[in-house]
Amino acid sequence: MALTDKQMERYSRHVILKQVGGKGQQKILKSKVLVIGTGGLGAPATMYLAAAGVGNIGLVDFDTVDLSNLQRQIIHQTADVGKAKVKSGEETINAMNPDIKVTTYNEKVTAANICDIIKDKDYDFVIDGTDNFPAKFLINDACVITKKPFSHAGIIRFEGQTMTYVPGKGPCYRCVFKEPPPPDAVPTCRQAGVLGVMGGVIGTLQATEALKYILGIGELLTGYLLTYNALTMTFRKVKLPKNKKCAVCGENPIVLNPVDYEANACDMR
Amino acid sequence: MKIKVNGKVTELKESVNITELLDIVKAEQPDYVTVQKNDEFVDHDAFKSTFVEEGDNIEFLYFMGGGR
Ligand SMILES: [Zn+2]
């Protein structure tokens, strides 16, 4: 399907890029991205994907908008406080770009539903915008098992990190971090705080990886962990080996189905 | 002797093991850090028996759980 005149105008700054062009923009419009968590990371990632014209966006979140979210979760506005986050997110996307079809999942991802959600629209790429280790391991394992590429990220205080998993192309999150730390062993944003812009920097990098994957351009963060320190303004790209002993993608996997780990303190209200 | 820890040149008086190095660099949550020595993962149960030598490239990778 060719781009309409309106679309040619809306996406003109993409179309003019030789790595994108009209063809690439059509790929973007046909693509499907699932964003799990519409918070600090998921909010900016979703907004840039919607602006870019990612035709199908799935939003997963079980929470409602809280006043304390607005310092960083820019997809939600003051008037949205109390509203389901997926609803608020959907409204922002609709106001931004009529080309986007939004599917909302107003639920928490669990071992029981995550594979069904990923398979629901046969999403091309998954963005982990969650805030706790049980969810991060769940998303990793589900993506490895269903062979879906995904972007992992985490932020805390003035620091962030992100890596991209592509099936068969490099290590997964579990290759690097074997299993979730015990609850409360590692501080969360709620306990330690986070500078609001951290999600903007890292979430936008996640959206960049999704777009590059869809377009098939450049080099992804597969086999690398990118770390960012805002205080020293330092980015580091750390090479990651694949872990043959990885419990989910290694030579003898023992995690054959996604696992629900005990929720940590960040989930409790 | 000189080694690199997360890209930073670090001067050590003598060879130390990974557990001692975590203490020297005052790593947060040393029990939950992932360690790479010269591009290979070092298992947690090998921290005490793995010594760093001149020119080694050590990466400490930390859990970052936030996102919302
Ligand atoms: Zn793995």
Side-chain angles (χ1 to χ4, degrees):
Chain A
M1 209 173 58
L3 299 175
T4 64
D5 288 352
K6 274 256 167 69
Q7 287 175 330
M8 280 301 282
E9 193 179 339
R10 179 184 284 267
Y11 306 114
S12 57
R13 303 301 190 278
H14 272 169
V15 174
I16 205 166
L17 291 167
K18 76 172 193 315
Q19 294 88 341
V20 183
K23 267 215 172 111
Q25 187 59 48
Q26 287 179 43
K27 273 191 203 168
I28 296 174
L29 284 161
K30 266 186 260 169
S31 70
K32 293 171 272 187
V33 176
L34 181 69
V35 183
I36 306 179
T38 56
L41 293 163
T46 302
M47 290 172 83
Y48 272 107
L49 293 174
V54 169
N56 296 275
I57 297 180
L59 295 180
V60 194
D61 210 307
F62 62 95
D63 212 353
T64 53
V65 180
D66 187 84
L67 190 59
S68 67
N69 299 152
L70 302 182
Q71 162 251 22
R72 63 201 179 281
Q73 302 181 8
I74 58 171
I75 201 167
H76 313 298
Q77 318 300 321
T78 306
D80 297 322
V81 170
K83 199 181 275 180
K85 283 189 174 176
V86 290
K87 178 81 184 136
S88 162
E90 182 181 27
E91 287 170 3
T92 303
I93 298 171
N94 288 343
M96 200 181 218
N97 190 345
D99 287 338
I100 318 301
K101 201 175 167 297
V102 182
T103 307
T104 59
Y105 306 87
N106 193 1
E107 58 196 313
K108 190 171 177 165
V109 282
T110 64
N113 67 13
I114 188 160
C115 291
D116 291 336
I117 293 174
I118 292 171
K119 286 181 194 156
D120 182 38
K121 302 281 172 205
D122 192 21
Y123 289 101
D124 302 307
F125 195 90
V126 177
I127 289 186
D128 172 6
T130 63
D131 65 345
N132 64 86
F133 297 111
K136 289 186 187 301
F137 279 85
L138 182 72
I139 292 167
N140 178 74
D141 295 350
C143 287
V144 171
I145 290 162
T146 62
K147 298 189 169 62
K148 285 289 172 200
F150 85 101
S151 167
H152 155 83
I155 49 173
I156 192 146
R157 299 190 189 111
F158 302 92
E159 289 181 84
Q161 65 181 23
T162 180
M163 65 180 278
T164 302
Y165 168 78
V166 177
K169 294 272 169 69
C172 77
Y173 181 60
R174 207 188 260 279
C175 285
V176 186
F177 299 102
K178 274 190 200 162
E179 55 184 9
D184 289 332
V186 174
T188 63
C189 288
R190 256 189 101 206
Q191 296 151 340
V194 62
L195 193 70
V197 293
M198 297 309 298
V201 174
I202 305 294
T204 306
L205 290 175
Q206 292 185 281
T208 311
E209 289 288 277
L211 290 170
K212 280 161 59 192
Y213 177 81
I214 291 160
L215 292 165
I217 60 170
E219 288 155 40
L220 297 167
L221 279 174
T222 46
Y224 291 94
L225 183 74
L226 184 76
T227 64
Y228 170 54
N229 182 319
L231 290 179
T232 55
M233 210 37 112
T234 319
F235 281 95
R236 289 194 69 235
K237 203 171 153 182
V238 181
K239 200 170 188 313
L240 301 172
K242 200 167 151 36
N243 187 348
K244 284 178 194 162
K245 289 182 277 184
C246 176
V248 67
C249 82
E251 283 169 357
N252 296 298
I254 48 166
V255 177
L256 303 174
N257 290 296
V259 194
D260 282 321
Y261 289 98
E262 196 192 334
N264 70 10
C266 213
D267 280 337
M268 297 172 203
R269 289 208 167 244
Chain B
M1 88 178 188
K2 278 184 184 143
I3 60 162
K4 266 192 184 171
V5 180
N6 288 12
K8 235 172 91 182
V9 176
T10 305
E11 185 90 51
L12 295 174
K13 283 192 208 96
E14 54 186 345
S15 183
V16 295
N17 66 30
I18 298 289
T19 305
E20 291 162 336
L21 183 62
L22 282 162
D23 191 50
I24 290 168
V25 303
K26 298 188 181 67
E28 270 187 73
Q29 304 117 27
D31 294 343
Y32 305 107
V33 68
T34 292
V35 177
Q36 273 188 55
K37 183 186 163 195
N38 303 329
D39 294 334
E40 295 284 342
F41 290 117
V42 181
D43 282 337
H44 271 254
D45 42 20
F47 280 9
K48 285 213 162 77
S49 57
T50 304
F51 284 80
V52 295
E53 288 152 46
E54 173 78 33
D56 275 352
N57 197 2
I58 308 292
E59 292 285 349
F60 292 145
L61 306 175
Y62 297 96
F63 269 119
M64 253 172 241
R68 290 157 66 100

